[in-house]
């Protein structure tokens, strides 16, 4: 074995030259890795004893992409393009040996090898789209040449990590080798192709699938149409599509030129900057300054959930999906039966769409058992309480859990608003109590707000954060305060939306501005979807609010065909003259002169107070860092990913501008707009939240 540099070495294994990369954590294509590849390939080509070349990685994965931390910096080391040219034009067969994930630039390197082998557990993908980018190392031109335009469209615009057996089926991988025996398997494969005299297959020379796609130009228009909603606002999916069109319609080198140009447009644009920021923000959120990485974890091999309603059922599915058995507790048999049957229906719906198999449905249902007896929770490692939001009920449950659960069990509450310190105070083990705030629908929404109470222990925090990842959630740790971080900031936007309505803006104006900003829907459309009657009691309703009047008219939202909006039979929303009149009557009664409110004011009024509240949250130490707030808002509240999150966006807008506006609002409308002291300090010191 010869060391090529600090991250690569070269070994001659009989008649095969093996280049091994070892650059933890994910063998990203840093300057060192690119140099290692360039020198390694040169060495193998010069080695008369080597008849073929294998590229394999140490550690958890094959190359997982370009090194994102290098983006925007001065270029160093060998250029990836040159490395790829050397490999693709090599006079000896080059074989990529894939385990873990071959992603982005990693797959693009593999695509310049003549052959690719993988272990069955490996995955391949071009996930650049998630970073607001497109594959910039020839992937947009090479992938479609192997898998065809349609599959390339799907893979590149979804960023999916495709399992190796599927890659084999679509020709992206040439052979699967035995799990755990990648190196030997790849060397044996290399020998086989030499022995069989197989050609040096250059992906760029494959044109059959491109010719086939040329006679179906409609696939692009159809694909754009089918995905218009999903791609709304994002640049990267469209830029990826254009590259695939270029692959179909242009010679390889010209296609590459299109790819390079479009890649640079994205790379230097604001969307990718926001999306790359988000990638690191999500990972940063797992780092808790006073909870070291080596904090002992509590094994969680079984979970109890109290409450089989929408929330409890959704939470249960997360654990069953991850193979963790769940005991679901309800007070009445019919509620339990209903809860279990909703879970089954959800799984069956996923199965009917091909997301899981019928056997998966049974396996997951088999992991969920129901009980009416809380004593069934005695052996579980973690309990999550998901009953409705009443302190007395929660306290009663936690008192009983304290008596029932084994020592060391984690006692979690899914409360979205109540004081977790108060809940913990009824137990003799407040260190075991934590908030796990799931978002509805809990089996779908990515965010988990992990709420640390005064006495929550470090192992309980560390375990909850790790568990979140295991069940596919993106977690952020927050402190106890009304609404925690997400809902507390939401409260600002909701207040402004309501206030603006009393000043002359109509619900559909406010919704439109926020929708155009990139939210999936505005607050009024959201209320209609959720139901205006949540928390509304007919007997107590005295027409004192717009909501009261709407509900009294049986305009209780989408489910009754009318709410703030009117709905047609397809649930398409239309501005409602009835609602408009109700609002106008309220405004007239309040003595306010309605005025014309610009879109700009709507946006500033709804969003600047959110940034300001974020600053207050940081000031109070209820979030560890500004990027955690952004993680919460992107993953739980639909903040458009390509705008980074409220704090990142606030920085883009300019904190001085936001501060000036907050002061203006305060002078006009009072102290709810009082600027956060931290905002003042940051402006005075010329600092930003996220840079
Ligand atoms: N560059 C730099 N650092 C990277 C990286 C990359 N491409 N991918 C992962 N990392 C870092 C993470 O930041 C993290 O660092 P930390 O421990 O300091 O927080 C560490 O590697 C481990 O990452 P994860 O916590 O995400 O580990 P997982 O095991 O959960 O996931 C993974 C591994 C699936 C590889 C995941 O990290 C991932 O999806 N990475 C990004 C893959 C990607 O987007 N590749 C394309 C890059 S762009 C590109 O290639 C452009 C090209 O076309 C020219």
């Amino acid at each position: 074995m010869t060391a090529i540099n600090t991250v690569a070495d070269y070994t001659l294994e009989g008649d095969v030259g093996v280049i091994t990369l070892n650059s933890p954590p994910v063998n990203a294509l840093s300057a060192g890795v690119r140099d290692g590849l360039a020198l390694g390939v040169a060495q193998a080509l010069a080695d008369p004893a080597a008849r073929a070349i294998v590229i394999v990685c140490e550690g958890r994965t094959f190359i997982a992409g370009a090194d994102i931390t290098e983006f925007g910096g001065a270029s160093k080391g060998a250029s990836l393009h040159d490395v790829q040219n050397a490999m693709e034009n090599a006079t000896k067969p080059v074989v990529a040996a894939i385990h873990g994930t071959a992603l982005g630039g990693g797959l693009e390197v593999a695509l310049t090898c003549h052959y690719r082998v993988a272990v069955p557990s490996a995955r391949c993908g071009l996930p650049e789209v998630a970073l607001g980018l497109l594959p910039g190392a020839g992937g947009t031109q090479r992938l479609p040449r192997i898998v065809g335009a349609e599959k390339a469209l799907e893979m590149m615009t979804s960023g999916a990590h495709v399992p190796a057996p599927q890659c084999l089926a679509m020709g992206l991988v040439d052979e699967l080798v035995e799990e755990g025996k990648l190196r030997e398997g790849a060397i044996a494969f290399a020998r086989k192709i030499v022995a069989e005299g197989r050609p040096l297959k250059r992906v760029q020379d494959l044109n059959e699938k491109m010719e086939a796609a040329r006679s179906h130009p409609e696939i692009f228009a159809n694909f754009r149409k089918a995905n218009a909603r999903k791609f709304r606002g994002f640049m990267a999916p469209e830029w990826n599509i254009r590259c695939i069109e270029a692959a179909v319609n242009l010679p390889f080198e010209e296609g590459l030129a299109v790819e390079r140009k479009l890649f640079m447009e994205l790379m230097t644009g604001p969307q990718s900057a926001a999306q790359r920021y988000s990638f690191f923000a999500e990972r940063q959120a797992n780092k808790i300054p006073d909870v070291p990485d080596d904090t002992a974890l509590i094994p969680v091999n079984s979970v109890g959930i109290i409450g089989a309603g929408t929330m409890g059922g959704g939470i249960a599915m997360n654990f069953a999906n991850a193979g963790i058995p769940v005991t679901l507790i309800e007070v009445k048999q019919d509620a339990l039966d209903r809860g279990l049957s909703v879970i089954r229906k959800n799984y069956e719906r996923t199965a009917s769409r091909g997301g899981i198999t019928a056997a998966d449905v049974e396996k997951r249902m088999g992991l969920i058992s129901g009980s009416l007896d809380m004593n069934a929770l005695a052996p579980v490692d973690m309990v999550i309480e998901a009953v409705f939001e009443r302190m007395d009920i929660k306290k009663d449950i936690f008192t009983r859990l304290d008596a029932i659960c084994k020592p060391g069990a984690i006692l979690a509450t899914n409360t979205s608003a109540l004081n977790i310190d108060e809940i913990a105070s009824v137990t003799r083990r407040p260190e075991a109590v934590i908030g796990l705030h799931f978002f509805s629908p809990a089996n779908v929404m990515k965010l988990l707000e992990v709420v640390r109470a005064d006495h929550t222990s470090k192992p309980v925090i560390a375990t909850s954060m790790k568990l979140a990842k295991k069940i596919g959630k993106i977690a952020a740790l927050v402190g106890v305060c009304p609404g925690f971080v997400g809902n507390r900031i939401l409260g600002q936007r909701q207040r402004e939306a309501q206030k603006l309505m009393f000043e002359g803006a109509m619900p559909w104006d406010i919704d439109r501005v926020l929708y155009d900003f990139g939210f999936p829907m505005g607050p009024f459309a959201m209320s209609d979807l959720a139901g205006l009657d949540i928390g509304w009691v007919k007997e107590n309703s005295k027409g004192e609010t717009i909501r009261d009047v709407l509900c009294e008219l049986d305009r209780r939202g989408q489910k009754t065909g009318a709410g703030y909006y009117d709905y047609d039979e397809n649930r398409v929303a239309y501005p409602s003259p009835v609602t408009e009149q109700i609002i106008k009557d309220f405004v007239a009664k309040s003595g306010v002169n309605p005025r014309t409110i610009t879109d700009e004011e709507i946006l500033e009024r709804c969003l600047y107070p959110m940034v300001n509240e974020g600053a207050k949250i940081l000031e109070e130490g209820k979030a560890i860092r500004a990027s955690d707030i952004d993680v919460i808002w992107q993953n739980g509240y639909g903040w458009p990913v390509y705008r980074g999150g409220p704090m990142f966006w606030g920085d883009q807008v300019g904190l001085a501008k936001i501060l000036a506006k907050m002061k203006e609002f305060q002078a006009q409308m009072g102290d709810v707009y009082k600027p956060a002291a931290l905002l003042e300090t940051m402006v005075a010191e010329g600092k930003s939240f996220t840079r």
Side-chain angles (χ1 to χ4, degrees):
M1 187 179 84
T2 350
I4 298 172
N5 62 13
T6 53
V7 293
D9 62 55
Y10 175 75
T11 325
L12 185 67
E13 305 255 3
D15 53 357
V16 178
V18 181
I19 301 165
T20 309
L21 302 172
N22 188 5
S23 179
V26 295
N27 291 307
L29 286 164
S30 59
V33 170
R34 295 195 304 273
D35 283 344
L37 273 173
L39 295 168
V41 170
Q43 188 168 346
L45 287 175
D47 185 346
R51 302 187 65 196
I53 305 167
V54 165
I55 296 169
V56 67
C57 291
E58 288 288 337
R60 68 216 244 199
T61 179
F62 189 74
I63 304 165
D67 186 341
I68 310 169
T69 58
E70 279 187 358
F71 287 179
S75 64
K76 285 183 293 184
S79 96
L80 185 54
H81 190 65
D82 290 346
V83 175
Q84 288 178 296
N85 274 344
M87 288 164 59
E88 199 171 36
N89 298 321
T91 48
K92 301 174 183 179
V94 184
V95 177
I98 301 172
H99 76 296
T101 43
L103 298 177
L107 181 58
E108 292 174 291
V109 163
L111 283 168
T112 49
C113 295
H114 303 112
Y115 294 93
R116 288 155 293 281
V117 300
V119 288
S121 63
R123 289 171 178 260
C124 297
L126 292 176
E128 283 85 346
V129 71
L131 299 169
L133 292 173
L134 54 86
T140 68
Q141 304 304 299
R142 289 193 180 89
L143 182 74
R145 283 180 158 76
I146 293 191
V147 304
E150 280 174 292
K151 283 216 171 68
L153 282 168
E154 267 167 43
M155 276 180 75
M156 282 163 49
T157 60
S158 69
H161 299 184
V162 181
Q166 278 180 41
C167 295
L168 179 71
M170 57 171 123
L172 190 51
V173 160
D174 297 286
E175 195 167 287
L176 294 186
V177 301
E178 197 182 328
E179 201 71 53
K181 298 208 169 141
L182 178 61
R183 193 181 173 95
E184 305 91 295
I187 292 170
F189 178 84
R191 286 203 182 111
K192 185 168 73 178
I193 54 172
V194 171
E196 291 174 1
R198 285 210 226 164
L200 300 175
K201 254 191 352 190
R202 296 192 331 158
V203 175
Q204 60 164 295
D205 298 332
L206 307 173
N207 272 318
E208 205 181 310
K209 293 210 160 121
M210 298 300 85
E211 275 160 25
R214 235 170 279 148
S215 50
H216 293 287
E218 72 284 358
I219 57 173
F220 293 102
N222 292 345
F223 188 77
R224 284 186 173 100
K225 197 165 158 210
N227 291 285
R229 232 175 100 156
K230 200 161 91 196
F231 298 159
R232 184 178 71 93
F234 285 93
M235 286 171 76
E238 172 58 27
W239 265 236
N240 273 276
I241 296 172
R242 288 181 196 171
C243 286
I244 301 171
E245 277 178 320
V248 169
N249 296 315
L250 298 175
F252 181 76
E253 286 298 334
E254 286 178 37
L256 270 191
V258 171
E259 176 191 281
R260 240 184 325 269
K261 175 174 173 290
L262 296 184
F263 179 82
M264 284 319 291
E265 283 178 21
L266 291 176
M267 176 64 111
T268 52
Q271 292 205 351
S272 178
Q275 289 177 258
R276 280 180 275 139
Y277 158 81
S278 300
F279 175 84
F280 288 111
E282 272 173 26
R283 282 151 184 86
Q284 186 76 8
N286 287 312
K287 300 181 171 70
I288 319 296
D290 69 329
V291 180
D293 276 351
D294 59 358
T295 304
L297 298 178
I298 301 163
V300 178
N301 297 316
S302 57
V303 170
I305 293 170
I306 305 178
T310 315
M311 208 61 200
I315 297 172
M317 290 173 74
N318 287 299
F319 289 97
N321 297 349
I324 300 173
V326 178
T327 307
L328 203 52
I329 304 288
E330 255 301 345
V331 255
K332 294 220 170 82
Q333 189 65 45
D334 59 340
L336 183 58
D337 292 344
R338 211 174 323 121
L340 288 168
S341 97
V342 170
I343 295 176
R344 177 174 280 283
K345 275 203 197 98
N346 284 338
Y347 278 140
E348 283 171 351
R349 196 171 333 116
T350 311
S352 72
R353 293 179 187 155
I356 53 174
T357 64
D360 290 333
V361 175
E362 296 315 318
K363 192 169 154 210
R364 292 175 196 197
M365 285 310 295
L367 285 169
I368 305 175
S369 56
S371 175
L372 301 179
D373 180 5
M374 261 178 54
N375 287 307
L377 300 179
V380 303
D381 298 320
M382 172 188 253
V383 178
I384 302 172
E385 162 278 308
V387 304
F388 52 74
E389 295 281 49
R390 262 183 43 197
M391 184 56 94
D392 55 340
I393 300 180
K394 304 232 179 209
K395 278 183 165 172
D396 175 52
I397 286 176
F398 275 77
T399 307
R400 289 164 66 195
L401 286 177
D402 194 25
I404 292 168
C405 293
K406 65 182 184 188
I410 298 175
L411 307 183
T413 170
N414 177 51
T415 183
S416 60
L418 299 176
N419 184 330
I420 300 177
D421 288 312
E422 197 177 333
I423 297 174
S425 72
V426 301
T427 72
R428 287 159 301 171
R429 40 174 140 172
E431 70 285 354
V433 178
I434 193 161
L436 294 182
H437 180 203
F438 287 83
F439 288 71
S440 190
N443 50 319
V444 176
M445 295 294 290
K446 280 278 179 203
L447 178 66
L448 183 65
E449 238 183 358
V450 178
V451 193
R452 171 185 203 161
D454 278 350
H455 300 287
T456 311
S457 75
K458 291 178 186 182
V460 168
I461 294 170
T463 303
S464 300
M465 298 298 289
K466 276 273 166 3
L467 194 61
K469 189 164 180 183
K470 188 163 180 190
I471 62 170
K473 298 291 171 200
I474 294 170
L477 186 70
V478 304
V480 175
C481 58
F484 310 130
V485 167
N487 282 343
R488 180 169 160 183
I489 292 180
L490 178 67
Q492 298 290 314
R493 196 186 76 179
Q494 298 297 72
R495 183 197 63 226
E496 288 311 300
Q498 288 292 325
K499 270 171 71 84
L500 284 162
M501 195 166 59
F502 280 89
E503 294 171 34
M506 284 294 136
W508 30 94
D509 297 326
I510 300 164
D511 279 355
R512 176 181 43 77
V513 171
L514 292 171
Y515 178 81
D516 288 347
F517 180 78
F519 283 103
M521 60 178 79
F524 298 97
M526 188 60 170
S527 298
D528 274 2
L529 179 67
L532 294 184
D533 54 354
I534 295 177
W536 177 77
V537 184
K538 193 172 180 180
E539 294 68 36
N540 302 341
S541 184
K542 298 195 188 84
E544 285 167 346
T545 62
I546 291 171
R547 182 191 62 168
D548 277 357
V549 177
L550 289 170
C551 287
E552 285 164 18
L553 291 170
D554 206 31
R555 299 180 65 95
R556 290 183 285 125
Q558 281 198 18
K559 60 186 168 190
T560 56
Y564 284 105
Y565 292 84
D566 291 336
Y567 293 88
D568 68 13
E569 59 285 2
N570 299 319
R571 294 206 169 185
V572 176
Y574 298 92
S576 164
V578 178
T579 304
E580 184 163 350
Q581 195 52 52
I582 295 170
I583 295 169
K584 284 183 170 157
D585 291 347
F586 263 90
V587 173
K589 246 193 287 169
S590 69
V592 172
N593 264 341
R595 61 192 173 90
T596 306
I597 300 176
T598 64
D599 289 359
E600 189 187 6
E601 180 178 349
I602 292 174
L603 202 67
E604 290 176 348
R605 285 275 300 278
C606 287
L607 302 191
Y608 287 6
M610 294 170 66
V611 179
N612 190 48
E613 195 66 22
K616 289 184 183 167
I617 286 168
L618 288 172
E619 201 175 291
E620 293 166 24
K622 300 300 180 190
I624 296 168
R625 46 183 92 80
S627 59
D628 289 3
I629 298 177
D630 288 338
V631 167
I632 289 171
W633 261 78
Q634 279 193 10
N635 295 291
Y637 297 84
W639 184 282
V641 177
Y642 54 83
R643 291 192 198 272
M647 308 314 279
F648 181 87
W649 177 79
D651 282 339
Q652 307 286 96
V653 170
L655 298 185
K657 184 171 174 192
I658 294 181
L659 175 63
K661 271 285 171 197
M662 291 306 295
K663 284 183 172 162
E664 200 182 304
F665 296 155
Q666 185 187 18
Q668 287 164 3
M669 297 174 285
D671 276 349
V672 287
Y673 300 93
K674 188 170 187 302
L678 180 65
L679 185 60
E680 303 247 23
T681 320
M682 300 205 65
V683 172
E685 294 176 1
K687 289 189 178 153
S688 73
F689 289 119
T690 58
R691 261 175 270 124

